[in-house]
Amino acid sequence: MDEIDLKILAALQQAPDLSQRELAERVSLSQNACWRRLRKLEESGVIVGRSLRLDRSALGLDLIVFAMLRTRSHSADWLEKFRRHVATIPEVIDFYRISGDYDYMLKIAARDMASYDRVYQRLIEKVELDNVTSYFAMEAIFDNRPLPLR
Amino acid sequence: MDEIDLKILAALQQAPDLSQRELAERVSLSQNACWRRLRKLEESGVIVGRSLRLDRSALGLDLIVFAMLRTRSHSADWLEKFRRHVATIPEVIDFYRISGDYDYMLKIAARDMASYDRVYQRLIEKVELDNVTSYFAMEAIFDNRPLPLR
DNA sequence: AGTGAAAGATTATGTCG
DNA sequence: CGACATAATCTTTCACT
């Protein structure tokens, strides 16, 4: 990964729908050379893929909640069971294990409070949780910005 | 937005690189009809765009931190200044205003602890913050899953 | 690794039910 | 609004430096 690769990534982060021709132009390379670099970035896994950005509001997902969880049990078995359980809840869109006075951070997209409460009930039904703190998003100032390269 | 539109969105969330032909096939529509629906979804803003998914580790961004901030001042002026300040820090990839005992939730991608500390210093240098709690991600179990449609 | 050009696919448009 | 055919564009491969 050299300078040019970083330029390619930066350009595509900023404008993912660039055509090969436009991209090549921006990084001052022939279309073909640029295409081969892009292919390598994909094959090597630096580019994991693409994703669709949807307007949550337009889909009625107006409630974003950050739930911090403290767990009681920590056996390997329990953790595995917990993960599989969380994975079955589609409203959970991010799921991080963290350090500090909580063990997990979940980002949840729900239609409304009633819908969130159902997610919450599902979260606690199967597993023994010590503490759940929910932070409700009042406003997404920004979300999923380009990663800082270099 | 009818059933078919939802099918289109679901298919594209799951496989954003589908060609028009493949997509049309999956939703049982002619290529052209599917294309026009897709166009409408883009024009109406339901589809905001696409984004590149990069492997953070491959880029050396091994440290993900969730920083919860409690602010001291809350005047409109102050808030505006605070937002503009945060926007200048590229490591901050998510920025939410939340309810509860913190006011803001930031997701930060940094190379390492020293790099995070510089972000932290920049965060607190310009604005009067009451409290900053940093949760360090130990593991991303999942991130940016498809939104639950319907 | 890079370039230019041509073959192969895909996307966007026009026309008609 | 949907289907089918065609023009325009973009992607991928080839031959060569």
Side-chain angles (χ1 to χ4, degrees):
Chain A
M1 279 240 308
D2 59 8
E3 284 301 311
I4 301 176
D5 283 340
L6 286 173
K7 264 177 109 172
I8 290 176
L9 295 177
L12 282 181
Q13 280 205 116
Q14 198 242 316
D17 292 324
L18 241 38
S19 74
Q20 302 282 8
R21 186 180 49 77
E22 288 169 312
L23 178 61
E25 202 166 307
R26 288 209 195 181
V27 301
S28 314
L29 229 57
S30 75
Q31 174 178 304
N32 181 303
C34 186
W35 178 79
R36 283 200 309 242
R37 276 172 178 272
L38 191 57
R39 196 167 196 279
K40 268 199 185 161
L41 288 167
E42 274 162 3
E43 277 172 1
S44 68
V46 175
I47 295 176
V48 176
R50 286 147 207 276
S51 63
L52 208 62
R53 296 174 76 93
L54 300 180
D55 183 324
R56 289 186 196 122
S57 240
L59 297 165
L61 296 165
D62 285 306
L63 189 58
I64 299 287
V65 186
F66 298 97
M68 317 291 288
L69 313 184
R70 182 158 52 242
T71 61
R72 190 172 298 253
S73 169
H74 295 85
S75 73
D77 249 26
W78 186 93
L79 290 177
E80 198 33 44
K81 183 187 152 205
F82 177 58
R83 278 154 193 249
R84 276 201 305 266
H85 178 57
V86 173
T88 65
I89 309 177
E91 285 86 355
V92 180
I93 55 180
D94 289 9
F95 184 24
Y96 276 84
R97 186 160 62 83
I98 60 178
S99 72
D101 40 280
Y102 290 97
D103 300 303
Y104 294 96
M105 213 288 295
L106 279 64
K107 182 176 179 180
I108 295 159
R111 307 191 81 75
D112 50 34
M113 207 44 98
S115 157
Y116 174 63
D117 189 47
R118 284 191 293 276
V119 173
Y120 179 86
Q121 296 299 335
R122 283 193 66 190
L123 266 178
I124 62 176
E125 79 188 358
K126 281 254 184 75
V127 297
E128 204 177 7
L129 292 174
D130 213 45
N131 189 311
V132 181
T133 301
S134 302
Y135 294 102
F136 296 91
M138 306 303 288
E139 181 188 5
I141 302 165
F142 48 75
D143 186 56
N144 245 304
R145 282 218 295 196
L147 292 177
L149 306 176
R150 98 199 10 261
Chain B
M1 276 240 309
D2 59 8
E3 284 301 311
I4 300 177
D5 283 340
L6 286 173
K7 264 176 109 173
I8 291 176
L9 295 177
L12 282 182
Q13 279 204 118
Q14 197 242 316
D17 292 324
L18 240 38
S19 74
Q20 303 282 11
R21 188 181 49 77
E22 290 168 311
L23 178 61
E25 202 166 311
R26 288 208 195 182
V27 301
S28 314
L29 230 58
S30 74
Q31 173 184 304
N32 176 297
C34 187
W35 179 79
R36 284 202 306 243
R37 274 173 180 271
L38 192 57
R39 196 166 195 279
K40 268 199 186 161
L41 287 167
E42 274 162 3
E43 277 173 1
S44 68
V46 176
I47 295 176
V48 177
R50 285 146 206 279
S51 64
L52 209 61
R53 296 174 76 92
L54 300 180
D55 183 324
R56 290 187 194 120
S57 241
L59 295 166
L61 296 166
D62 286 305
L63 190 58
I64 299 288
V65 186
F66 298 97
M68 316 291 288
L69 313 184
R70 182 161 49 244
T71 59
R72 188 171 300 251
S73 170
H74 295 87
S75 73
D77 249 28
W78 185 93
L79 290 178
E80 199 32 46
K81 184 187 152 204
F82 176 57
R83 277 152 193 252
R84 276 202 303 268
H85 178 56
V86 173
T88 65
I89 309 177
E91 284 86 356
V92 179
I93 55 181
D94 290 10
F95 185 24
Y96 277 84
R97 185 161 62 83
I98 60 178
S99 71
D101 39 280
Y102 290 97
D103 300 302
Y104 295 94
M105 213 290 294
L106 280 65
K107 182 176 179 180
I108 295 159
R111 308 192 79 75
D112 50 35
M113 204 49 93
S115 158
Y116 174 62
D117 190 49
R118 283 192 293 276
V119 173
Y120 179 85
Q121 296 299 333
R122 282 193 65 190
L123 267 177
I124 62 176
E125 82 190 354
K126 282 254 183 75
V127 296
E128 203 175 8
L129 292 173
D130 213 46
N131 189 312
V132 182
T133 301
S134 302
Y135 294 104
F136 296 91
M138 306 303 287
E139 181 188 4
I141 302 165
F142 48 75
D143 186 56
N144 244 301
R145 282 218 295 196
L147 292 177
L149 307 176
R150 99 197 8 262

PDB file of all heavy atoms in Angstrom, chain B residues 104-129:
ATOM      1  N   TYR B 104     -23.081  13.709  24.567  1.00  0.00           N
ATOM      2  CA  TYR B 104     -22.620  13.310  23.239  1.00  0.00           C
ATOM      3  C   TYR B 104     -21.930  11.959  23.286  1.00  0.00           C
ATOM      4  O   TYR B 104     -21.288  11.601  24.278  1.00  0.00           O
ATOM      5  CB  TYR B 104     -21.641  14.341  22.654  1.00  0.00           C
ATOM      6  CG  TYR B 104     -22.299  15.666  22.392  1.00  0.00           C
ATOM      7  CD1 TYR B 104     -22.259  16.694  23.327  1.00  0.00           C
ATOM      8  CD2 TYR B 104     -23.000  15.885  21.202  1.00  0.00           C
ATOM      9  CE1 TYR B 104     -22.894  17.910  23.092  1.00  0.00           C
ATOM     10  CE2 TYR B 104     -23.633  17.088  20.960  1.00  0.00           C
ATOM     11  CZ  TYR B 104     -23.576  18.094  21.912  1.00  0.00           C
ATOM     12  OH  TYR B 104     -24.208  19.284  21.664  1.00  0.00           O
ATOM     13  N   MET B 105     -22.071  11.245  22.186  1.00  0.00           N
ATOM     14  CA  MET B 105     -21.410   9.959  22.026  1.00  0.00           C
ATOM     15  C   MET B 105     -20.555  10.060  20.779  1.00  0.00           C
ATOM     16  O   MET B 105     -21.076  10.401  19.706  1.00  0.00           O
ATOM     17  CB  MET B 105     -22.486   8.897  21.815  1.00  0.00           C
ATOM     18  CG  MET B 105     -22.230   7.539  22.341  1.00  0.00           C
ATOM     19  SD  MET B 105     -20.961   6.621  21.484  1.00  0.00           S
ATOM     20  CE  MET B 105     -21.727   6.421  19.902  1.00  0.00           C
ATOM     21  N   LEU B 106     -19.272   9.826  20.922  1.00  0.00           N
ATOM     22  CA  LEU B 106     -18.375   9.890  19.772  1.00  0.00           C
ATOM     23  C   LEU B 106     -17.743   8.535  19.551  1.00  0.00           C
ATOM     24  O   LEU B 106     -17.349   7.860  20.503  1.00  0.00           O
ATOM     25  CB  LEU B 106     -17.241  10.899  20.018  1.00  0.00           C
ATOM     26  CG  LEU B 106     -17.524  12.373  19.815  1.00  0.00           C
ATOM     27  CD1 LEU B 106     -18.538  12.892  20.810  1.00  0.00           C
ATOM     28  CD2 LEU B 106     -16.219  13.174  19.937  1.00  0.00           C
ATOM     29  N   LYS B 107     -17.654   8.150  18.308  1.00  0.00           N
ATOM     30  CA  LYS B 107     -16.899   6.950  17.967  1.00  0.00           C
ATOM     31  C   LYS B 107     -15.637   7.421  17.276  1.00  0.00           C
ATOM     32  O   LYS B 107     -15.706   8.204  16.314  1.00  0.00           O
ATOM     33  CB  LYS B 107     -17.723   6.057  17.040  1.00  0.00           C
ATOM     34  CG  LYS B 107     -17.045   4.751  16.655  1.00  0.00           C
ATOM     35  CD  LYS B 107     -18.017   3.925  15.829  1.00  0.00           C
ATOM     36  CE  LYS B 107     -17.435   2.611  15.370  1.00  0.00           C
ATOM     37  NZ  LYS B 107     -18.436   1.865  14.564  1.00  0.00           N
ATOM     38  N   ILE B 108     -14.522   6.960  17.788  1.00  0.00           N
ATOM     39  CA  ILE B 108     -13.238   7.468  17.319  1.00  0.00           C
ATOM     40  C   ILE B 108     -12.366   6.332  16.826  1.00  0.00           C
ATOM     41  O   ILE B 108     -12.258   5.297  17.495  1.00  0.00           O
ATOM     42  CB  ILE B 108     -12.540   8.216  18.477  1.00  0.00           C
ATOM     43  CG1 ILE B 108     -13.371   9.468  18.838  1.00  0.00           C
ATOM     44  CG2 ILE B 108     -11.105   8.589  18.112  1.00  0.00           C
ATOM     45  CD1 ILE B 108     -13.105   9.997  20.224  1.00  0.00           C
ATOM     46  N   ALA B 109     -11.766   6.505  15.658  1.00  0.00           N
ATOM     47  CA  ALA B 109     -10.847   5.500  15.108  1.00  0.00           C
ATOM     48  C   ALA B 109      -9.435   6.060  15.138  1.00  0.00           C
ATOM     49  O   ALA B 109      -9.153   7.075  14.488  1.00  0.00           O
ATOM     50  CB  ALA B 109     -11.235   5.148  13.668  1.00  0.00           C
ATOM     51  N   ALA B 110      -8.568   5.415  15.877  1.00  0.00           N
ATOM     52  CA  ALA B 110      -7.194   5.912  16.009  1.00  0.00           C
ATOM     53  C   ALA B 110      -6.198   4.786  15.771  1.00  0.00           C
ATOM     54  O   ALA B 110      -6.549   3.610  15.789  1.00  0.00           O
ATOM     55  CB  ALA B 110      -6.997   6.509  17.401  1.00  0.00           C
ATOM     56  N   ARG B 111      -4.950   5.188  15.518  1.00  0.00           N
ATOM     57  CA  ARG B 111      -3.931   4.175  15.236  1.00  0.00           C
ATOM     58  C   ARG B 111      -3.530   3.440  16.501  1.00  0.00           C
ATOM     59  O   ARG B 111      -3.304   2.247  16.500  1.00  0.00           O
ATOM     60  CB  ARG B 111      -2.681   4.815  14.628  1.00  0.00           C
ATOM     61  CG  ARG B 111      -2.962   5.709  13.434  1.00  0.00           C
ATOM     62  CD  ARG B 111      -1.689   6.071  12.705  1.00  0.00           C
ATOM     63  NE  ARG B 111      -1.238   4.985  11.859  1.00  0.00           N
ATOM     64  CZ  ARG B 111      -1.801   4.663  10.700  1.00  0.00           C
ATOM     65  NH1 ARG B 111      -2.817   5.356  10.236  1.00  0.00           N
ATOM     66  NH2 ARG B 111      -1.357   3.648  10.004  1.00  0.00           N
ATOM     67  N   ASP B 112      -3.400   4.183  17.580  1.00  0.00           N
ATOM     68  CA  ASP B 112      -2.945   3.606  18.841  1.00  0.00           C
ATOM     69  C   ASP B 112      -3.281   4.572  19.968  1.00  0.00           C
ATOM     70  O   ASP B 112      -3.925   5.597  19.746  1.00  0.00           O
ATOM     71  CB  ASP B 112      -1.426   3.333  18.795  1.00  0.00           C
ATOM     72  CG  ASP B 112      -0.679   4.573  18.316  1.00  0.00           C
ATOM     73  OD1 ASP B 112      -1.124   5.703  18.645  1.00  0.00           O
ATOM     74  OD2 ASP B 112       0.331   4.438  17.608  1.00  0.00           O
ATOM     75  N   MET B 113      -2.816   4.242  21.151  1.00  0.00           N
ATOM     76  CA  MET B 113      -3.206   5.040  22.311  1.00  0.00           C
ATOM     77  C   MET B 113      -2.656   6.467  22.227  1.00  0.00           C
ATOM     78  O   MET B 113      -3.343   7.419  22.581  1.00  0.00           O
ATOM     79  CB  MET B 113      -2.686   4.339  23.571  1.00  0.00           C
ATOM     80  CG  MET B 113      -3.444   4.680  24.809  1.00  0.00           C
ATOM     81  SD  MET B 113      -5.241   4.551  24.667  1.00  0.00           S
ATOM     82  CE  MET B 113      -5.500   2.888  25.231  1.00  0.00           C
ATOM     83  N   ALA B 114      -1.434   6.599  21.719  1.00  0.00           N
ATOM     84  CA  ALA B 114      -0.843   7.935  21.606  1.00  0.00           C
ATOM     85  C   ALA B 114      -1.669   8.783  20.647  1.00  0.00           C
ATOM     86  O   ALA B 114      -1.930   9.972  20.898  1.00  0.00           O
ATOM     87  CB  ALA B 114       0.602   7.826  21.112  1.00  0.00           C
ATOM     88  N   SER B 115      -2.077   8.149  19.575  1.00  0.00           N
ATOM     89  CA  SER B 115      -2.877   8.841  18.580  1.00  0.00           C
ATOM     90  C   SER B 115      -4.246   9.218  19.164  1.00  0.00           C
ATOM     91  O   SER B 115      -4.754  10.322  18.944  1.00  0.00           O
ATOM     92  CB  SER B 115      -3.021   7.941  17.358  1.00  0.00           C
ATOM     93  OG  SER B 115      -4.135   8.291  16.605  1.00  0.00           O
ATOM     94  N   TYR B 116      -4.811   8.299  19.937  1.00  0.00           N
ATOM     95  CA  TYR B 116      -6.091   8.616  20.583  1.00  0.00           C
ATOM     96  C   TYR B 116      -5.935   9.761  21.569  1.00  0.00           C
ATOM     97  O   TYR B 116      -6.784  10.648  21.656  1.00  0.00           O
ATOM     98  CB  TYR B 116      -6.681   7.395  21.303  1.00  0.00           C
ATOM     99  CG  TYR B 116      -7.927   7.762  22.091  1.00  0.00           C
ATOM    100  CD1 TYR B 116      -9.055   8.255  21.436  1.00  0.00           C
ATOM    101  CD2 TYR B 116      -7.961   7.665  23.482  1.00  0.00           C
ATOM    102  CE1 TYR B 116     -10.182   8.631  22.138  1.00  0.00           C
ATOM    103  CE2 TYR B 116      -9.097   8.043  24.191  1.00  0.00           C
ATOM    104  CZ  TYR B 116     -10.202   8.531  23.520  1.00  0.00           C
ATOM    105  OH  TYR B 116     -11.311   8.913  24.210  1.00  0.00           O
ATOM    106  N   ASP B 117      -4.846   9.745  22.275  1.00  0.00           N
ATOM    107  CA  ASP B 117      -4.635  10.814  23.254  1.00  0.00           C
ATOM    108  C   ASP B 117      -4.576  12.186  22.586  1.00  0.00           C
ATOM    109  O   ASP B 117      -5.083  13.166  23.118  1.00  0.00           O
ATOM    110  CB  ASP B 117      -3.359  10.563  24.062  1.00  0.00           C
ATOM    111  CG  ASP B 117      -3.264  11.538  25.233  1.00  0.00           C
ATOM    112  OD1 ASP B 117      -4.272  11.675  25.962  1.00  0.00           O
ATOM    113  OD2 ASP B 117      -2.218  12.195  25.395  1.00  0.00           O
ATOM    114  N   ARG B 118      -3.991  12.231  21.405  1.00  0.00           N
ATOM    115  CA  ARG B 118      -3.966  13.507  20.685  1.00  0.00           C
ATOM    116  C   ARG B 118      -5.385  13.937  20.311  1.00  0.00           C
ATOM    117  O   ARG B 118      -5.726  15.121  20.415  1.00  0.00           O
ATOM    118  CB  ARG B 118      -3.087  13.393  19.422  1.00  0.00           C
ATOM    119  CG  ARG B 118      -1.586  13.429  19.745  1.00  0.00           C
ATOM    120  CD  ARG B 118      -0.744  13.605  18.482  1.00  0.00           C
ATOM    121  NE  ARG B 118      -0.815  12.442  17.599  1.00  0.00           N
ATOM    122  CZ  ARG B 118      -0.071  11.346  17.723  1.00  0.00           C
ATOM    123  NH1 ARG B 118       0.842  11.253  18.679  1.00  0.00           N
ATOM    124  NH2 ARG B 118      -0.203  10.344  16.877  1.00  0.00           N
ATOM    125  N   VAL B 119      -6.201  12.982  19.906  1.00  0.00           N
ATOM    126  CA  VAL B 119      -7.594  13.311  19.609  1.00  0.00           C
ATOM    127  C   VAL B 119      -8.270  13.836  20.876  1.00  0.00           C
ATOM    128  O   VAL B 119      -8.960  14.872  20.867  1.00  0.00           O
ATOM    129  CB  VAL B 119      -8.359  12.071  19.087  1.00  0.00           C
ATOM    130  CG1 VAL B 119      -9.846  12.385  18.937  1.00  0.00           C
ATOM    131  CG2 VAL B 119      -7.781  11.611  17.758  1.00  0.00           C
ATOM    132  N   TYR B 120      -8.045  13.132  21.949  1.00  0.00           N
ATOM    133  CA  TYR B 120      -8.634  13.506  23.233  1.00  0.00           C
ATOM    134  C   TYR B 120      -8.239  14.931  23.627  1.00  0.00           C
ATOM    135  O   TYR B 120      -9.075  15.744  24.023  1.00  0.00           O
ATOM    136  CB  TYR B 120      -8.184  12.507  24.295  1.00  0.00           C
ATOM    137  CG  TYR B 120      -8.711  12.786  25.667  1.00  0.00           C
ATOM    138  CD1 TYR B 120      -9.961  12.331  26.070  1.00  0.00           C
ATOM    139  CD2 TYR B 120      -7.947  13.514  26.584  1.00  0.00           C
ATOM    140  CE1 TYR B 120     -10.451  12.602  27.333  1.00  0.00           C
ATOM    141  CE2 TYR B 120      -8.424  13.800  27.856  1.00  0.00           C
ATOM    142  CZ  TYR B 120      -9.677  13.341  28.225  1.00  0.00           C
ATOM    143  OH  TYR B 120     -10.155  13.614  29.478  1.00  0.00           O
ATOM    144  N   GLN B 121      -6.960  15.214  23.484  1.00  0.00           N
ATOM    145  CA  GLN B 121      -6.477  16.556  23.821  1.00  0.00           C
ATOM    146  C   GLN B 121      -7.148  17.614  22.956  1.00  0.00           C
ATOM    147  O   GLN B 121      -7.522  18.683  23.425  1.00  0.00           O
ATOM    148  CB  GLN B 121      -4.946  16.645  23.656  1.00  0.00           C
ATOM    149  CG  GLN B 121      -4.144  15.742  24.603  1.00  0.00           C
ATOM    150  CD  GLN B 121      -4.379  16.056  26.076  1.00  0.00           C
ATOM    151  OE1 GLN B 121      -4.709  17.194  26.432  1.00  0.00           O
ATOM    152  NE2 GLN B 121      -4.239  15.041  26.934  1.00  0.00           N
ATOM    153  N   ARG B 122      -7.289  17.269  21.672  1.00  0.00           N
ATOM    154  CA  ARG B 122      -7.942  18.226  20.775  1.00  0.00           C
ATOM    155  C   ARG B 122      -9.403  18.424  21.158  1.00  0.00           C
ATOM    156  O   ARG B 122      -9.941  19.526  21.032  1.00  0.00           O
ATOM    157  CB  ARG B 122      -7.875  17.733  19.325  1.00  0.00           C
ATOM    158  CG  ARG B 122      -6.523  17.960  18.681  1.00  0.00           C
ATOM    159  CD  ARG B 122      -6.602  17.749  17.191  1.00  0.00           C
ATOM    160  NE  ARG B 122      -7.450  18.731  16.528  1.00  0.00           N
ATOM    161  CZ  ARG B 122      -7.833  18.649  15.256  1.00  0.00           C
ATOM    162  NH1 ARG B 122      -7.458  17.616  14.527  1.00  0.00           N
ATOM    163  NH2 ARG B 122      -8.586  19.582  14.724  1.00  0.00           N
ATOM    164  N   LEU B 123     -10.018  17.347  21.619  1.00  0.00           N
ATOM    165  CA  LEU B 123     -11.426  17.444  22.017  1.00  0.00           C
ATOM    166  C   LEU B 123     -11.621  18.415  23.159  1.00  0.00           C
ATOM    167  O   LEU B 123     -12.563  19.206  23.177  1.00  0.00           O
ATOM    168  CB  LEU B 123     -11.951  16.071  22.450  1.00  0.00           C
ATOM    169  CG  LEU B 123     -12.625  15.216  21.394  1.00  0.00           C
ATOM    170  CD1 LEU B 123     -13.021  13.877  21.988  1.00  0.00           C
ATOM    171  CD2 LEU B 123     -13.852  15.938  20.832  1.00  0.00           C
ATOM    172  N   ILE B 124     -10.728  18.310  24.140  1.00  0.00           N
ATOM    173  CA  ILE B 124     -10.933  19.106  25.343  1.00  0.00           C
ATOM    174  C   ILE B 124     -10.272  20.475  25.301  1.00  0.00           C
ATOM    175  O   ILE B 124     -10.548  21.320  26.137  1.00  0.00           O
ATOM    176  CB  ILE B 124     -10.453  18.349  26.617  1.00  0.00           C
ATOM    177  CG1 ILE B 124      -8.953  18.060  26.539  1.00  0.00           C
ATOM    178  CG2 ILE B 124     -11.240  17.055  26.796  1.00  0.00           C
ATOM    179  CD1 ILE B 124      -8.400  17.404  27.800  1.00  0.00           C
ATOM    180  N   GLU B 125      -9.425  20.688  24.300  1.00  0.00           N
ATOM    181  CA  GLU B 125      -8.650  21.929  24.290  1.00  0.00           C
ATOM    182  C   GLU B 125      -9.527  23.169  24.090  1.00  0.00           C
ATOM    183  O   GLU B 125      -9.321  24.197  24.719  1.00  0.00           O
ATOM    184  CB  GLU B 125      -7.554  21.885  23.208  1.00  0.00           C
ATOM    185  CG  GLU B 125      -8.079  22.226  21.818  1.00  0.00           C
ATOM    186  CD  GLU B 125      -7.081  21.967  20.688  1.00  0.00           C
ATOM    187  OE1 GLU B 125      -5.923  21.616  20.962  1.00  0.00           O
ATOM    188  OE2 GLU B 125      -7.500  22.122  19.522  1.00  0.00           O
ATOM    189  N   LYS B 126     -10.505  23.053  23.235  1.00  0.00           N
ATOM    190  CA  LYS B 126     -11.257  24.226  22.824  1.00  0.00           C
ATOM    191  C   LYS B 126     -12.540  24.426  23.612  1.00  0.00           C
ATOM    192  O   LYS B 126     -13.099  25.501  23.638  1.00  0.00           O
ATOM    193  CB  LYS B 126     -11.631  24.123  21.338  1.00  0.00           C
ATOM    194  CG  LYS B 126     -10.515  24.442  20.374  1.00  0.00           C
ATOM    195  CD  LYS B 126     -10.704  25.820  19.716  1.00  0.00           C
ATOM    196  CE  LYS B 126      -9.638  26.127  18.689  1.00  0.00           C
ATOM    197  NZ  LYS B 126      -9.821  25.382  17.447  1.00  0.00           N
ATOM    198  N   VAL B 127     -13.025  23.347  24.193  1.00  0.00           N
ATOM    199  CA  VAL B 127     -14.347  23.448  24.804  1.00  0.00           C
ATOM    200  C   VAL B 127     -14.312  22.983  26.248  1.00  0.00           C
ATOM    201  O   VAL B 127     -13.476  22.167  26.631  1.00  0.00           O
ATOM    202  CB  VAL B 127     -15.369  22.606  24.008  1.00  0.00           C
ATOM    203  CG1 VAL B 127     -15.532  23.155  22.617  1.00  0.00           C
ATOM    204  CG2 VAL B 127     -14.970  21.153  23.982  1.00  0.00           C
ATOM    205  N   GLU B 128     -15.226  23.508  26.986  1.00  0.00           N
ATOM    206  CA  GLU B 128     -15.278  23.196  28.403  1.00  0.00           C
ATOM    207  C   GLU B 128     -16.127  21.939  28.587  1.00  0.00           C
ATOM    208  O   GLU B 128     -17.347  21.965  28.407  1.00  0.00           O
ATOM    209  CB  GLU B 128     -15.926  24.369  29.132  1.00  0.00           C
ATOM    210  CG  GLU B 128     -15.572  24.438  30.591  1.00  0.00           C
ATOM    211  CD  GLU B 128     -16.166  25.708  31.218  1.00  0.00           C
ATOM    212  OE1 GLU B 128     -16.951  26.404  30.530  1.00  0.00           O
ATOM    213  OE2 GLU B 128     -15.849  25.986  32.383  1.00  0.00           O
ATOM    214  N   LEU B 129     -15.489  20.852  28.917  1.00  0.00           N
ATOM    215  CA  LEU B 129     -16.221  19.603  29.091  1.00  0.00           C
ATOM    216  C   LEU B 129     -16.255  19.226  30.564  1.00  0.00           C
ATOM    217  O   LEU B 129     -15.290  19.404  31.301  1.00  0.00           O
ATOM    218  CB  LEU B 129     -15.580  18.472  28.273  1.00  0.00           C
ATOM    219  CG  LEU B 129     -15.707  18.624  26.760  1.00  0.00           C
ATOM    220  CD1 LEU B 129     -14.904  17.555  26.046  1.00  0.00           C
ATOM    221  CD2 LEU B 129     -17.168  18.576  26.349  1.00  0.00           C
TER     222      LEU B 129
END
